[in-house]
Amino acid sequence: MGGDDPVPTYCPLCVSRCGARATLTDGTFVALHPDPSHPTGKAICVKGRAAPQIVYHPARLLHPARRTTPKDAADPGWEQITWDEALDTVAERLMTLADSDGPESVGFSSSSPSTSAISDAVDWVQRLIRCFGSPNYSNYMELCGWGRYLAPLYTFGASVPGVYLPDLENAGCILFWGYNPSVARLAHATSTAAAVARGAKLVVVDPRKAGLAAKADHWLRVRPGTDAALALSLMHVMIQNGWYDVDFVRDWTNAADEVDGRTVWDLLASRCAGFPPDAAAEITGVAPADIVATARTLWEARPVAFYTWSGLEQHSGTTQTIRAINVLYALTGSLDVRGGNVLFEDVPSNPIDGTEFLDGERPPAVGVDKRPLGPARFEFVTGEDFYTAALDRRIKALVSFGGNMVMAHGDSTRGREALRGLDFFVQADLFMSPTAELADIVLPVTTPFESEALKIGFEYSQEAQSLVQLRQPLVPPRGEARSDLQIVFDLATRLGLGAHFWEGDMEAAFRHQLAPSGITLEELRAHPAGVRVPLTTRYRKYADTGFATPSGKVELYSATLAAHGYAPLPDFEEPLTSPRSRPDLADRYPLVLSCAKSLFFCETQHRQVAALRKSAPDPQLEMHPATAAARGITAGDWISLNTPHGSIRARAKFNASLDPQVVFGQHGWWEACDELGLPGYPPYGPASANLNLVLRQTPSDPISGSSPLRASVCNVAPLSAAGHEGRDVARSTHADNSLT
Ligand code: SF4
């Protein structure tokens, strides 16, 4: 550790996990650079470059603390305590509740491993939860993971595209739907740019012309939440023209099955025929000629590699939308073929996420009664269900590893009430936040650059998936901070679960995880850039075992969905919160509010980091210039964003690529940046810039409970200069934090 030689590492701040080299000067971490020799290291983003500022930020939490005032007090009165006091208190409260109310009365939460460094520890967090015996884990699955990981199980029996990843290096056509890798997953963006340069076709479906959409052969500007109609129309064109893989459909889907005297294929074709391009254009805003041309490209340029993310989540019809796109993808015949979506071979390792503890009798997860096929089936609890269970006292405690629950979910005010009502709440985190402020105990967490982590496989290609790397700490932990991993192990031993956690010995746990690979920790420490295991991709693995669906085939028609009263064929329903669905609100709220990730911040984090905030100093609302002109708004004006649930503020940013009926906001604005003198914004109340303050988690997707955060009625108006006074209310939220 140290010296001036660059240290091989990777950035785990988001799902891209970019290979990098760190520069240290006299033991101080000063810079992070891309490492082109690493399979994910072609580039790093501004957030990765700002890593030293995150590590050394003055507002970091450095000591455990407990609150000394009631939950509704303006000042939590944090009091520094020792780790032993903190962990003993947490363990005692959890065990008491487990004895009196059952382990299910303790909920767990974490930030998303796709947008934070909890990826270092998330499998271990899950092991702790399962071992403790609680089925109630809230990790934002319904907001950003359902469409990639769990919903596709009802079509493919596998996570496509979350685990069967796009083979971008060999794709003939790349389809990105509701996904902007330039912001969300940089390694995909660099691979895609290379693929386009060698001649691959690119199709981007996005209401904004963002990132790689500018390079796309087809950019389809879909009206938010109408993607299922577009997918059904594309399928209609493909079926009519014979632009589908006949052999795959015949041999590997349930197309030939009969339902009420008709084949599934006939039923699917009829469903799609309800969405001819002219009709779909009226729904989606995508021109008929573009639908036809895109369908042709998907066929002629296959194999198709596809990926989707949050643009398709957070809608009242998310599951059927994912179903429609999954079935469309099946028609291309590109699953598990070179250049399609591929399950790359894994380095052998022992699973450590505690699946073995799921055997036997377990209490049901909150929400499984209402949505038996949704996230709760897999023991993930939606934000709305968590709030309800906390408010009606089925859940009485929360253990949270990062995350910012009240800012990340719709209806922040209800979230605050739910967290205030808990008997006990402990949050492990890097910084204080509107969620952490509601905790009884806060535990200081290291940044990933101060801690060790084991990464087996980097996902993007067979080469990447063959790499094992032990990321070593660049600098010692600041203050008394401990890694999430360490906290999991410390807590497990105090909860009497040490036998399942190698009695707290993390190194022994890593050795167990690595054992089948034949790689040792010593080898990994000697090779900080990682050790590569020679592996070869096998394709069409389904030919050996079939698909992991009830029928063993790709299910164009899902009998499972039918048995639970849901549409068994993919279908489109107008978003329940759009102006078309709510004509009663459309006069006052004629616009559609959606949202998109910022390049500069991971979700609700990082606004306090000057290197990032300087490029994005204010919360913004993107709108078409015509939308603004009609309301007397000029670029850069402070505006009021109004929904039926209240108003927040933002600065107007013009984006001529948008439909004039659609505006795009950013969630996660609350934190001040003292170094730049830029203000914070209160999470609640009239001076707020918190998008989720004016959105609700219902009406949600009936199958998954996904919240309608990306297609809701709204309007915008100029905010008078007087109206913007007081925006400094939340300035320096951490300025008096004596813990730092
Ligand atoms: S995209 Fe940026 S934040 Fe994400 S892993 Fe790469 S460098 Fe880190």
Side-chain angles (χ1 to χ4, degrees):
M1 192 167 66
D4 287 336
D5 291 338
V7 180
T9 185
Y10 64 90
C11 173
L13 294 178
C14 84
V15 68
S16 191
R17 289 159 202 138
C18 300
R21 290 194 174 245
T23 302
L24 287 89
T25 302
D26 298 329
T28 300
F29 174 32
V30 295
L32 198 66
H33 303 285
D35 178 358
S37 69
H38 193 288
T40 61
K42 299 284 184 296
I44 64 169
C45 79
V46 288
K47 300 179 288 286
R49 289 187 191 280
Q53 287 207 23
I54 297 171
V55 172
Y56 297 114
H57 198 281
R60 283 271 307 277
L61 296 174
L62 300 180
H63 306 284
R66 71 168 153 237
R67 75 179 308 119
T68 58
T69 63
K71 294 284 177 72
D72 56 359
D75 180 359
W78 295 115
E79 174 185 74
Q80 185 174 328
I81 56 176
T82 66
W83 269 105
D84 280 341
E85 283 177 274
L87 292 167
D88 286 345
T89 304
V90 175
E92 191 269 323
R93 297 296 300 268
L94 300 194
M95 287 194 291
T96 301
L97 267 175
D99 284 345
S100 62
D101 294 75
E104 66 272 27
S105 66
V106 178
F108 289 79
S109 175
S110 77
S111 51
S112 160
S114 296
T115 54
S116 78
I118 196 65
S119 50
D120 282 357
V122 72
D123 285 350
W124 296 103
V125 169
Q126 211 158 11
R127 182 181 187 85
L128 176 67
I129 299 168
R130 290 168 168 171
C131 200
F132 181 77
S134 174
N136 294 320
Y137 178 27
S138 181
N139 77 339
Y140 312 94
M141 178 59 76
E142 86 281 12
L143 294 183
C144 69
W146 176 251
R148 288 179 296 158
Y149 291 101
L150 299 180
L153 300 181
Y154 296 113
T155 304
F156 298 117
S159 297
V160 184
V163 176
Y164 280 73
L165 285 159
D167 180 11
L168 299 171
E169 286 178 2
N170 301 301
C173 177
I174 296 167
L175 170 61
F176 287 151
W177 201 315
Y179 174 51
N180 174 12
S182 304
V183 164
R185 197 165 186 163
L186 188 59
H188 270 175
T190 51
S191 298
T192 300
V196 169
R198 68 162 166 76
K201 300 291 185 191
L202 177 62
V203 177
V204 174
V205 185
D206 192 330
R208 294 161 78 231
K209 194 170 191 175
L212 291 164
K215 291 184 188 296
D217 297 276
H218 306 281
W219 165 53
L220 306 184
R221 190 180 73 180
V222 65
R223 182 166 65 90
T226 64
D227 307 77
L230 179 58
L232 290 162
S233 188
L234 286 164
M235 278 194 274
H236 172 65
V237 175
M238 292 163 78
I239 292 170
Q240 275 213 317
N241 290 282
W243 294 341
Y244 60 92
D245 189 325
V246 175
D247 294 340
F248 183 83
V249 168
R250 182 192 59 232
D251 297 338
W252 291 107
T253 76
N254 62 355
D257 288 3
E258 291 217 356
V259 179
D260 296 333
R262 294 175 70 186
T263 65
V264 164
W265 185 249
D266 187 29
L267 290 168
L268 177 67
S270 296
R271 171 63 48 81
C272 296
F275 296 86
D278 283 351
E282 197 281 324
I283 297 169
T284 66
V286 178
D290 289 339
I291 296 174
V292 174
T294 301
R296 178 186 283 278
T297 297
L298 291 173
W299 176 243
E300 293 182 347
R302 68 193 187 287
V304 179
F306 103 101
Y307 204 77
T308 176
W309 203 349
S310 305
L312 299 184
E313 312 272 4
Q314 304 167 25
H315 290 289
S316 58
T318 279
T319 306
Q320 289 296 354
T321 299
I322 297 295
R323 277 272 299 153
I325 294 169
N326 285 174
V327 170
L328 162 64
Y329 187 63
L331 299 193
T332 71
S334 298
L335 183 61
D336 214 21
V337 303
R338 180 181 159 87
N341 276 54
V342 176
L343 185 65
F344 297 113
E345 287 297 308
D346 291 332
V347 175
S349 64
N350 280 320
I352 41 80
D353 62 1
T355 310
E356 64 270 31
F357 301 111
L358 297 178
D359 289 344
E361 283 279 299
R362 288 174 61 79
V366 163
V368 80
D369 51 340
K370 282 184 292 182
R371 288 180 295 274
L373 300 183
R377 178 183 182 185
F378 309 94
E379 301 200 345
F380 296 107
V381 177
T382 68
E384 177 67 8
D385 285 342
F386 180 86
Y387 290 170
T388 301
L391 289 166
D392 68 19
R393 311 267 309 141
R394 279 175 291 152
I395 289 181
K396 295 184 175 177
L398 176 64
V399 182
S400 188
F401 292 89
N404 195 346
M405 192 177 273
V406 299
M407 296 294 295
H409 292 285
D411 205 347
S412 299
T413 307
R414 187 163 187 261
R416 177 178 60 180
E417 295 318 304
L419 293 182
R420 277 180 173 168
L422 293 169
D423 290 356
F424 183 69
F425 171 23
V426 55
Q427 172 100 7
D429 221 324
L430 279 168
F431 294 94
M432 192 51 71
S433 74
T435 298
E437 279 174 2
L438 299 168
D440 295 281
I441 289 182
V442 291
L443 303 175
V445 176
T446 55
T447 67
F449 306 100
E450 298 154 85
S451 56
E452 189 173 68
L454 177 61
K455 181 95 181 87
I456 303 176
F458 284 76
E459 300 179 350
Y460 291 86
S461 61
Q462 188 59 70
E463 182 204 5
Q465 189 64 352
S466 305
L467 182 67
V468 181
Q469 192 170 7
L470 187 70
R471 200 194 62 237
Q472 298 173 14
L474 300 173
V475 290
R478 286 188 58 206
E480 294 185 278
R482 295 183 183 181
S483 68
D484 289 299
L485 196 61
Q486 177 81 59
I487 295 170
V488 166
F489 276 67
D490 289 347
L491 196 52
T493 51
R494 277 179 166 78
L495 288 166
L497 306 173
H500 304 301
F501 283 84
W502 291 264
E503 301 302 342
D505 182 347
M506 295 194 306
E507 192 161 308
F510 282 166
R511 290 188 195 282
H512 165 79
Q513 193 179 356
L514 276 172
S517 72
I519 300 171
T520 64
L521 280 181
E522 288 69 25
E523 257 180 290
L524 291 173
R525 291 206 170 103
H527 299 92
V531 173
R532 294 174 197 235
V533 178
L535 295 170
T536 305
T537 311
R538 287 190 314 120
Y539 299 107
R540 298 185 199 275
K541 293 176 280 296
Y542 55 80
D544 299 337
T545 57
F547 289 91
T549 55
S551 65
K553 295 189 172 181
V554 173
E555 300 204 330
L556 312 181
Y557 178 102
S558 170
T560 304
L561 291 176
H564 286 81
Y566 306 121
L569 289 165
D571 205 356
F572 166 71
E573 183 181 31
E574 175 67 22
L576 296 176
T577 48
S578 78
R580 292 192 191 189
S581 280
R582 296 301 306 266
D584 54 320
L585 298 173
D587 277 353
R588 286 175 59 206
Y589 304 103
L591 304 178
V592 174
L593 170 62
S594 195
C595 61
K597 290 183 200 297
S598 164
L599 172 64
F600 300 99
F601 315 114
C602 283
E603 311 298 355
T604 70
Q605 308 170 77
H606 302 145
R607 268 79 173 177
Q608 80 278 45
V609 178
L612 300 173
R613 185 74 176 268
K614 71 181 183 191
S615 300
D618 304 309
Q620 291 181 328
L621 188 82
E622 293 181 41
M623 63 188 75
H624 192 281
T627 312
R631 292 163 175 79
I633 295 168
T634 56
D637 282 355
W638 283 97
I639 58 95
S640 175
L641 169 66
N642 308 312
T643 79
H645 310 296
S647 301
I648 59 166
R649 61 199 54 211
R651 270 197 200 275
K653 181 184 180 193
F654 286 3
N655 182 343
S657 79
L658 290 178
D659 181 323
Q661 298 301 307
V662 175
V663 298
F664 266 76
Q666 303 166 336
H667 89 290
W669 279 91
W670 59 277
E671 196 160 25
C673 180
D674 292 343
E675 191 178 337
L676 297 177
L678 288 166
Y681 301 85
Y684 322 95
S688 183
N690 170 14
L691 199 62
N692 280 324
L693 183 64
V694 295
L695 292 168
R696 294 292 176 267
Q697 301 195 83
T698 56
S700 59
D701 176 32
I703 300 174
S704 69
S706 196
S707 304
L709 305 180
R710 288 183 183 254
S712 287
V713 292
C714 77
N715 206 350
V716 295
L719 189 67
S720 66
H724 193 57
E725 283 174 11
R727 72 189 172 100
D728 291 352
V729 167
R731 184 166 176 167
S732 300
T733 51
H734 44 66
D736 298 325
N737 188 345
S738 58
L739 302 172
T740 58

